[in-house]
Amino acid sequence: MNTVVSRFIIHTLTPPYGRNFTGVHVHVASSSRHRRFVTVAYSEDNKESMVVVGGGAAGIYGAIRAKTLAPNLNVVVIEKAKPLAKVKISGGGRCNVTNGHCVDNKILAEKYPRGSKEFRGSFFNTHGPGDTMSWFSDLGVKLKTEEDGRVFPVSDNSSTIIDCLLNEARRRGVTLQTGKSVTSASTSADGKFIVKIEKRTIDYLDFIEADYLLMASGSSQQGYNLAKQLGHSIIEPVPSLFTFKIDDIQLTELAGITFSKVKAIIKLESLQKNIPELTQIGPMLITHWGLSGPVILRLSAWGARDLFSSSYKGTLLVDFSPDHNSEDLKSLLSQHKKKFPKQKVVGSYPTELGIMKRFWKYLLNREGIDEDILWASISNNSLMSIAALLKQCSFLVKGKGQFKDEFVTAGGVPLSEISLKTMESRIRPRLFFAGEVLNVDGITGGFNFQNAWSGGYIAGTSIGKMAATSAPAILTEHAV
């Protein structure tokens, strides 16, 4: 279909571009029923500009940092949906800001299945959990650290964090555009970025010229496509941080039961070698579809690619008494038998096992032990089989569920293609990355947000310093 230019207007753009942009507004039409508006935006006062793709934690944090160091830099954040959407739902709506228990950065790096080796260097030294907590505290957000290290606002409301970030972005002069998607990015002959933006609701195109481009698009396919357009490769993304669906109706009837400490091992037919990280210790929860809790989520993160390759099918071995060996358990059960011979097995068991009555009944049923027999009548072989089941209880994993608080992926732009000291691309100058668009993911507990804060801060610092020291550039208009 051929189009013709029906209007050509030079005008000053009002926000969302900001006061320092002008543009060429071209209305092209092939008929009276189909119109398309195109805007080419560029800086009228020769100030440099920065476009941030993605209004999540990394993008907003990076934009604020860049604008703080370079107040004259024009900073525009493009977000296709609502800004800081993940922040809103994180931690059950409380926002798990970071983790306060990892003072040693090398230990902190070990919380990242993808990124553990690379993060042992300068990444968290530049901006770690303590720096993140100080940043929010300095802006009036009161934080608390819970027993497991997770950090939340005292308000227990993610809106506290969202309001802080958006208010600071507004105060610094960061411009936020929502309801728009960046659909392509290229570079001009003079090295600037030409970013194509489309609105979701109407047939409308914007072309923005930028001196700096920060990709903070999360795990969206849009971001991966843009990275490839600019010369980067993509490690195919697969889900991380998910629960396990278990093929056991009797187990799922116990939904809501928690275990404070179990040892869990995932066994996969496709995986012959032993991977230490596929054995985890921690709390576990029975759900309506299977098993969840920190120990399961950590297994899903470390085994993300292997579980994907196995179609999320395997065998989960759970030790419900990791602090007791088999002989200890046999002794506890034998002592209980001697102490309570006239009590029914189903209604009495050693408290040292640390399990709930409904789960004790489940174990008896799995072993085929009559609930109504007395402890005096239970055989030593039955006691041995219960002890063995407590130490190694197998569950058939038949699929993955979803962890509602965090949807995280393993995959993205390889860390080898960027400099973690600056977050700048090794392939394209003045192109930066931060957050989940990179092949980085952490276990649950605030570590994924810390990756976003750290990466955004480093990228923003790099851009801000470059913009603050660079001479004003003469920007040119680009034809549509």
Side-chain angles (χ1 to χ4, degrees):
M1 186 188 313
N2 295 324
T3 59
V4 295
V5 176
S6 60
R7 260 202 324 260
F8 189 86
I9 306 168
I10 303 290
H11 68 111
T12 299
L13 295 174
T14 55
Y17 292 105
R19 282 170 279 183
N20 299 312
F21 281 97
T22 61
V24 178
H25 189 171
V26 184
H27 167 198
V28 293
S30 58
S31 71
S32 60
R33 297 179 61 187
H34 181 84
R35 304 185 204 179
R36 167 163 286 188
F37 294 91
V38 181
T39 301
V40 182
Y42 56 94
S43 177
E44 69 174 352
D45 51 10
N46 290 339
K47 289 182 180 178
E48 290 193 317
S49 60
M50 167 189 179
V51 169
V52 181
V53 182
I60 298 292
Y61 206 67
I64 292 171
R65 178 60 178 166
K67 189 69 172 172
T68 300
L69 294 183
N72 290 327
L73 179 68
N74 295 315
V75 180
V76 181
V77 179
I78 312 293
E79 169 56 47
K80 63 182 178 181
K82 291 184 178 180
L84 302 169
K86 270 195 178 180
V87 173
K88 184 175 180 61
I89 64 172
S90 156
R94 296 195 297 153
C95 184
N96 185 184
V97 179
T98 186
N99 194 288
H101 278 185
C102 290
V103 180
D104 188 326
N105 290 334
K106 289 185 178 179
I107 294 177
L108 177 58
E110 293 172 359
K111 307 301 181 182
Y112 295 85
R114 265 64 54 183
S116 57
K117 293 179 181 178
E118 294 87 348
F119 282 177
R120 291 174 188 170
S122 63
F123 190 72
F124 292 123
N125 289 329
T126 303
H127 193 81
D131 301 306
T132 299
M133 293 171 71
S134 295
W135 191 90
F136 283 104
S137 297
D138 290 345
L139 291 175
V141 176
K142 294 181 179 179
L143 301 171
K144 61 179 179 179
T145 304
E146 299 194 341
E147 188 176 347
D148 59 2
R150 293 182 300 164
V151 176
F152 294 93
V154 171
S155 66
D156 280 329
N157 193 326
S158 59
S159 295
T160 302
I161 301 300
I162 293 172
D163 291 344
C164 173
L165 288 164
L166 293 182
N167 288 339
E168 183 64 8
R170 194 176 299 113
R171 187 176 77 86
R172 293 289 180 182
V174 173
T175 300
L176 177 62
Q177 298 186 49
T178 58
K180 296 183 177 182
S181 296
V182 177
T183 55
S184 73
S186 58
T187 54
S188 61
D190 55 1
K192 299 185 189 303
F193 296 96
I194 307 300
V195 180
K196 178 183 175 183
I197 301 169
E198 297 188 37
K199 290 185 179 180
R200 294 189 300 169
T201 53
I202 60 174
D203 198 13
Y204 193 105
L205 291 182
D206 295 332
F207 286 81
I208 298 181
E209 183 183 74
D211 298 274
Y212 308 94
L213 184 61
L214 172 56
M215 294 295 305
S217 48
S219 58
S220 71
Q221 187 60 47
Q222 161 213 17
Y224 300 143
N225 290 341
L226 293 174
K228 287 193 283 189
Q229 289 173 19
L230 294 168
H232 281 271
S233 60
I234 297 295
I235 296 172
E236 190 65 26
V238 298
S240 180
L241 284 187
F242 48 83
T243 60
F244 290 169
K245 291 182 179 179
I246 302 296
D247 191 10
D248 188 332
I249 296 175
Q250 288 185 321
L251 178 74
T252 54
E253 289 176 350
L254 304 178
I257 289 181
T258 60
F259 305 89
S260 59
K261 185 180 181 181
V262 303
K263 179 180 178 181
I265 304 171
I266 186 71
K267 296 286 187 180
L268 306 172
E269 288 185 9
S270 62
L271 190 64
Q272 301 301 321
K273 61 181 179 179
N274 180 42
I275 300 177
E277 290 82 7
L278 294 187
T279 298
Q280 294 288 332
I281 297 175
M284 190 176 75
L285 164 71
I286 299 176
T287 69
H288 290 290
W289 57 87
L291 296 169
S292 183
V295 72
I296 300 298
L297 295 171
R298 287 200 292 268
L299 284 175
S300 76
W302 284 102
R305 293 211 166 271
D306 294 314
L307 283 160
F308 175 80
S309 300
S310 301
S311 300
Y312 303 103
K313 291 177 172 59
T315 301
L316 183 72
L317 304 177
V318 181
D319 179 351
F320 288 97
S321 296
D323 293 331
H324 298 96
N325 59 38
S326 296
E327 292 303 317
D328 291 337
L329 293 177
K330 292 175 188 175
S331 177
L332 285 172
L333 293 168
S334 296
Q335 290 173 20
H336 194 85
K337 176 181 177 179
K338 293 177 182 177
K339 193 173 182 179
F340 304 101
K342 295 183 179 181
Q343 290 188 2
K344 287 185 177 181
V345 174
V346 72
S348 172
Y349 57 92
T351 57
E352 292 89 343
L353 299 181
I355 58 177
M356 294 183 68
K357 183 178 180 179
R358 287 196 298 153
F359 187 70
W360 171 251
K361 182 178 178 181
Y362 167 84
L363 293 176
L364 295 177
N365 289 335
R366 272 193 62 154
E367 288 304 304
I369 298 172
D370 185 355
E371 300 175 6
D372 294 325
I373 67 170
L374 302 180
W375 272 96
S377 301
I378 195 168
S379 67
N380 286 332
N381 284 339
S382 292
L383 295 183
M384 291 174 62
S385 67
I386 293 173
L389 189 59
L390 282 165
K391 290 302 292 180
Q392 184 170 296
C393 191
S394 65
F395 299 97
L396 184 63
V397 179
K398 64 176 182 178
K400 70 176 183 67
Q402 184 176 339
F403 181 43
K404 294 181 181 179
D405 284 354
E406 292 184 76
F407 180 73
V408 177
T409 57
V413 176
L415 291 179
S416 59
E417 295 182 3
I418 69 161
S419 167
L420 285 176
K421 292 182 178 179
T422 62
M423 305 308 289
E424 187 174 13
S425 165
R426 297 183 186 274
I427 295 171
R428 187 84 57 179
R430 296 194 172 196
L431 171 63
F432 296 80
F433 293 89
E436 205 183 339
V437 68
L438 295 166
N439 183 34
V440 173
D441 61 290
I443 62 174
T444 185
F447 300 104
N448 284 295
F449 270 136
Q450 187 54 53
N451 168 47
W453 309 131
S454 297
Y457 182 92
I458 296 170
T461 299
S462 303
I463 295 170
K465 287 181 176 179
M466 290 172 71
T469 57
S470 98
I474 300 175
L475 300 185
T476 59
E477 175 187 336
H478 291 266
V480 181

